[in-house]
Every structure is written in structure tokens, then in C-alpha cells.
Amino acid sequence: MSKRREGGISIIAWYALIGVVLGVATLVIVQAVMIGFRTEFVEKIVGANSHLVIYKKTLTTADLDEGFNFDEIRAIIQDLKDKKNFKAAYPLVKDQVLASKNNISTGVEVYGIRKGDLVNIELVNKPASSDGSIENLNDGVAIGAQIARKLNISINDTIKLISPNGAKSVFGTIPRVNVYKVKYIFSVGRYDIDSTRIYMPIKDAQVFFNRANQADLIEVLLNNPFDVDEFKNNVEDELAERYLLWSWKERTAAFLDALDLERRVMFIILSLIVLIAAMNIISGLVMLVKNKGRDIGILRSLGLTRSSILRVFFICGSLIGVVGTVLGVIIGMLFVTYINEIQWLVEYVIGSSVWNEEIRFLTQVPAKLRIEDVVFALVVSLSISFVITIFPARKAARLDPADALKYE
């Protein structure tokens, strides 16, 4: 009978251990993936886009078609060059068009830019993968890898661009149509960029969009894009009267705030899962105290103090939490380290993709282990395990020897 009782306690202890392991591992994995997603997303934003954009304020109807003239652009860039943290600034012509090839069409954004300025955009100049050379931009256009895949385009193929804002005639607006050679195909690793972006020489863009000697906006690159707010404050007083300044942080603030909120909520929810798993420790210890009542009574009658009994049962219960937490952290860290290999294996086994890049914008599962997240998971799990263990351990310590041995 005693062995059967202890066997039941052993099974509960194993359940508690497995629950804590899985809970802590899940906590580590989810936090790493969410931090990785945020980090990857921010790196792609600052690496493939400008850090500050200067727009012209539209005050009257006459200003709607009036962009930056090149004298204005030179004056603004000259003022910015003297500012701390400045890296580069350049004019840009930007518009949306329809790209077509092989009877397949897709909507894209065209960026008219000088080749020397495009080289300063790190993830376009040195992308995750590329084909052709960015040095040949003056002879054609550069397109995202997903556009090339959709339209079945390779280097030196042509791509047709159709703009609905064409020349006006007595028959209405005639769309502008032109054909360009593809000289460079890039993949920055963000689906929304790789599937929509085309770069062409600014002079060709001015002709195509009828922006004679004008630019739509000025983009600014910084040495440290994370100090963009300080840079913006330094130049805003000089430019605010005539221009609007918009930083990358303002552009993505809502999304990044949502990611941070989601990560905190997920941490709370997964901590509750660890708490539920650790509740099995109470069940095991309560049964252990009940089955060992006679032994506790004997030890107490021999002079063992209540604090000693409490320590014995506290160590028994907390050991499950300690071992489960350590194993959970190890498993979680290994999973995060090999997460892309695991993704490829799962996709190979099930024969389909588990990561929809069209929805999540990134081409693979991002994960980043931070020591503070691992330590926080350790502290939370151990704290839960220790606090839960105290209650049955105190019950064992308060057991009266007379009551424990009454029927012996």
C-alpha cells in the first residue's frame, strides 16, 4: 500500500516537472521570437528606408503640383550637413504605378533617386541576396526580388510601367507607359519592400512622372537612426515654418507600441501557464505530507524542530521547480538557436509553409535571445515554485506529533 501511495506521488511530481519545463521553455521561446520580430523589423526599417523625410507644406491649391526645386534642395541639404549625426540627404521622386510583364501585372512604388544616393541605403546596396549590379542603375531600374518572382523577370529583361496620371487630352487622361531594363534585383528580407519597390534614376522618374526639375520630397539618413528625435528637434525650428518633418519612429510608432504591448501581455499569460503547472507541486507535497505524517510525528518527538521539517519539505518541492526551470531554459534556448532549422524541418514534413511572409513581412522566423529575458523567466518561474512550496511545507511543520501518532 505504501509503495502504491508513493508511486502516485511520484507520478504527480513528474507531471509537475514536465509542466514547469514546458511552461518555462514556451516563455523563453515566445519572448525571444517577439523580441526578434521587433528587432528585425526595426533593422529592416532603418536599413531600407530613410530616417527622416522632409515634405513641403501644401498651403494653397497652386502648391499641390509644386515640389522641391533643386535650388531649394541644395539649400536644405547644405544646412543639414552642419548638424551632428548627419550622414546623407537626397531628393526623391515617388509615385505608384502598375508594373507589367508576360501578361501579369502588380502594383508597385517607383522611387526616383540618384545612383550615388541609393548606395547609401544599406540594405538595398548590401541586401540579403541580389542579382546584377547596383552600379548599372543609370542604364535601367532596380526591382525587389518578389516583384521579379511575381512577373518572372531576370537581369536584362524589360519591365513595363504604367502610370494612370498621364497626359490630358480631349479624350481624357492618357496613361503614361514606358519600358525599362532590369539591371539590379535585391532582397532586403521584408516582403512589403521586396514586393513593391522599384528604384530608377531620378532624371528618368522626372520625365516619366512629369516632374521637370522637381522632387517630391527630401530623405535624410543618419549615422545613428535611433537618435532621430534629437536630430529632428535640432533642425525643426529652422524648417518647421515651410516644411513637415516625419521620422521613422513616428511612421512606425503605432506598430512598435502594439508589439511591445503584445509582448508584455504574452509574458503575463505564459507566466500563468507556469503557475498552473507549478500547482501540481502543491498536490504532490500535500499527498506526501499526508503519507509521511507518522514519520513526521516520530521525527518531531525525537526533537527535530518545526523549521527543520519545513526546510525538508521546502527542498523537496522547490527542487522540482529548480530542475524544471533549468531544463525549460535549456530547451527554450536550444529551440531558439535552431528555430530556422526546425521551421524548415516542419515545412518539409508537412509539405507546406508555416510562416506566411505576406502577412508577417519577414521571410523567416526571427528570434533573438537576450540575457535579461532569460534571467527574468528564471526569476519568475523560481519565485512561483518557491512561493507555492511554502504552503504545504508549513502544513507539515505545524503537524502535532501527538495527532500524527495518535492511532499508531
Side-chain angles (χ1 to χ4, degrees):
M1 177 68 72
S2 176
K3 288 183 178 181
R4 283 202 297 270
R5 288 177 180 173
E6 292 178 3
I9 296 170
S10 177
I11 291 173
I12 293 174
W14 278 107
Y15 283 157
L17 178 65
I18 293 171
V20 173
V21 169
L22 294 179
V24 173
T26 303
L27 187 59
V28 171
I29 293 167
V30 170
Q31 289 295 300
V33 169
M34 298 193 76
I35 286 293
F37 185 86
R38 190 188 193 283
T39 302
E40 190 82 3
F41 193 82
V42 169
E43 287 177 354
K44 295 292 191 265
I45 289 172
V46 300
N49 296 283
S50 61
H51 307 143
L52 186 69
V53 181
I54 303 174
Y55 294 97
K56 200 164 189 179
K57 283 186 178 180
T58 303
L59 302 176
T60 66
T61 306
D63 292 331
L64 287 174
D65 296 324
E66 183 184 348
F68 291 90
N69 62 60
F70 277 84
D71 289 336
E72 201 173 8
I73 291 168
R74 278 191 290 270
I76 292 173
I77 294 177
Q78 189 62 42
D79 289 340
L80 294 176
K81 282 182 178 179
D82 300 330
K83 305 299 181 184
K84 182 182 177 183
N85 198 22
F86 175 83
K87 179 180 180 182
Y90 50 85
L92 195 75
V93 173
K94 182 179 177 182
D95 212 335
Q96 295 179 337
V97 301
L98 187 70
S100 178
K101 177 72 175 179
N102 302 321
N103 295 321
I104 304 172
S105 301
T106 183
V108 298
E109 278 191 316
V110 172
Y111 290 68
I113 188 173
R114 293 179 298 224
K115 184 191 73 176
D117 295 322
L118 183 59
V119 171
N120 287 321
I121 303 177
E122 294 180 5
L123 284 184
V124 177
N125 185 28
K126 298 177 182 178
S129 62
S130 63
D131 194 10
S133 174
I134 198 172
E135 297 298 325
N136 298 326
L137 180 69
N138 290 335
D139 300 324
V141 296
I143 69 174
Q146 295 297 337
I147 299 175
R149 183 181 63 80
K150 285 180 183 178
L151 303 182
N152 193 22
I153 292 176
S154 56
I155 294 299
N156 289 324
D157 284 350
T158 58
I159 183 171
K160 182 189 292 184
L161 301 182
I162 306 167
S163 173
N165 300 320
K168 294 181 180 179
S169 69
V170 294
F171 301 103
T173 302
I174 301 174
R176 287 191 178 90
V177 181
N178 212 340
V179 175
Y180 300 91
K181 271 194 173 182
V182 175
K183 291 295 184 179
Y184 182 57
I185 299 173
F186 59 89
S187 175
V188 303
R190 253 191 72 180
Y191 185 85
D192 58 328
I193 294 176
D194 293 338
S195 64
T196 62
R197 192 167 294 186
I198 293 180
Y199 291 98
M200 70 166 57
I202 190 169
K203 290 184 178 179
D204 293 345
Q206 287 171 332
V207 172
F208 185 67
F209 295 115
N210 195 25
R211 310 274 210 280
N213 297 317
Q214 289 185 347
D216 296 322
L217 50 94
I218 298 172
E219 292 195 336
V220 183
L221 297 176
L222 306 178
N223 291 310
N224 184 359
F226 297 98
D227 290 338
V228 66
D229 291 335
E230 181 181 350
F231 183 88
K232 180 183 174 183
N233 291 335
N234 289 339
V235 302
E236 199 164 27
D237 291 340
E238 303 171 19
L239 301 176
E241 185 176 343
R242 297 186 60 190
Y243 308 108
L244 293 173
L245 280 68
W246 200 25
S247 71
W248 71 267
K249 287 186 177 180
E250 293 170 320
R251 191 164 60 236
T252 59
F255 185 80
L256 295 180
D257 288 345
L259 283 180
D260 289 336
L261 177 61
E262 185 180 14
R263 183 170 61 88
R264 296 188 191 100
V265 171
M266 288 301 296
F267 186 88
I268 295 172
I269 293 172
L270 294 174
S271 297
L272 293 176
I273 293 176
V274 176
L275 174 62
I276 293 169
M279 292 295 288
N280 284 322
I281 297 175
I282 291 183
S283 302
L285 280 181
V286 168
M287 291 183 63
L288 184 63
V289 170
K290 184 177 180 182
N291 290 343
K292 298 295 183 181
R294 175 177 176 274
D295 299 321
I296 295 170
I298 292 172
L299 290 173
R300 290 281 289 115
S301 62
L302 292 175
L304 199 66
T305 63
R306 288 186 174 183
S307 61
S308 299
I309 297 292
L310 187 146
R311 283 196 298 271
V312 169
F313 282 91
F314 180 81
I315 291 171
C316 288
S318 60
L319 192 61
I320 297 174
V322 171
V323 174
T325 299
V326 172
L327 289 177
V329 167
I330 292 172
I331 292 172
M333 293 175 68
L334 288 174
F335 191 98
V336 170
T337 303
Y338 297 102
I339 192 167
N340 290 316
E341 288 79 1
I342 294 170
Q343 176 192 349
W344 296 332
L345 177 62
V346 171
E347 290 177 345
Y348 176 79
V349 171
I350 67 176
S352 63
S353 176
V354 297
W355 181 261
N356 191 334
E357 58 190 32
E358 296 184 27
I359 297 174
R360 297 173 177 87
F361 299 134
L362 302 177
T363 53
Q364 61 182 12
V365 181
K368 182 181 180 181
L369 273 175
R370 298 192 309 179
I371 187 65
E372 56 264 37
D373 294 327
V374 175
V375 171
F376 203 33
L378 272 168
V379 170
V380 168
S381 180
L382 291 177
S383 299
I384 290 173
S385 301
F386 292 161
V387 170
I388 278 180
T389 304
I390 289 175
F391 299 105
R394 289 182 63 190
K395 182 179 179 183
R398 290 200 301 265
L399 191 64
D400 191 348
D403 292 336
L405 298 174
K406 184 186 298 183
Y407 301 105
E408 298 298 331

